[in-house]
Amino acid sequence: MPKKARDKGWVIALTLAFWSLAAWLLYPLVNLDRVDMSNIKPYLYRSVLGLTLLIIFFGKTLFDLIYPWVYSKKLPRLNAALLTLYAAALGGGIIFMIIRMATLAMKNRSGGFFF
């Protein structure tokens, strides 16, 4: 196997591992009705880590979209369209998760400093 193909395999495996980690970290926010409200702080910290991973993925996607234009390289239209759709979906997911985290924080707020 050529070195370039082997490196690409590692990149794909690492990306899938990070996506799996982000899904696991954000799982309590998706199933907010099943979360035990007496033990909410670990869920909130866990969700912040998952949201951080999503923001990193979003930044990488924007960089992949903008970088070819900086150096006058041509990005295939299908690739640009799919990256734009991916960035829009990722941005929507980030906004959704922030709203869910705010909902979770407001449910737990019983006066005083939250953290």
Side-chain angles (χ1 to χ4, degrees):
M1 183 182 285
K3 184 177 180 178
K4 192 172 189 178
R6 185 178 41 194
D7 290 343
K8 189 174 183 180
W10 278 105
V11 169
I12 291 172
L14 190 62
T15 303
L16 289 176
F18 278 132
W19 267 110
S20 299
L21 179 65
W24 178 76
L25 289 170
L26 292 170
Y27 183 73
L29 284 181
V30 175
N31 293 323
L32 198 55
D33 300 333
R34 299 180 195 160
V35 172
D36 180 24
M37 288 297 167
S38 65
N39 191 17
I40 206 71
K41 281 187 185 178
Y43 290 126
L44 202 58
Y45 293 135
R46 178 178 165 177
S47 300
V48 167
L49 289 174
L51 190 61
T52 303
L53 279 175
L54 286 184
I55 291 170
I56 290 170
F57 281 133
F58 185 72
K60 183 194 177 304
T61 304
L62 287 180
F63 178 78
D64 290 343
L65 272 170
I66 294 171
Y67 183 75
W69 294 337
V70 171
Y71 289 100
S72 300
K73 293 182 181 178
K74 185 135 175 113
L75 184 66
R77 288 185 184 180
L78 179 62
N79 193 4
L82 291 176
L83 274 175
T84 303
L85 286 175
Y86 174 69
L90 200 53
I94 290 170
I95 291 170
F96 175 73
M97 290 301 165
I98 288 173
I99 290 171
R100 295 290 279 196
M101 285 177 65
T103 304
L104 191 61
M106 293 302 161
K107 280 185 180 181
N108 187 41
R109 192 162 192 138
S110 58
F113 189 61
F114 181 70
F115 296 102

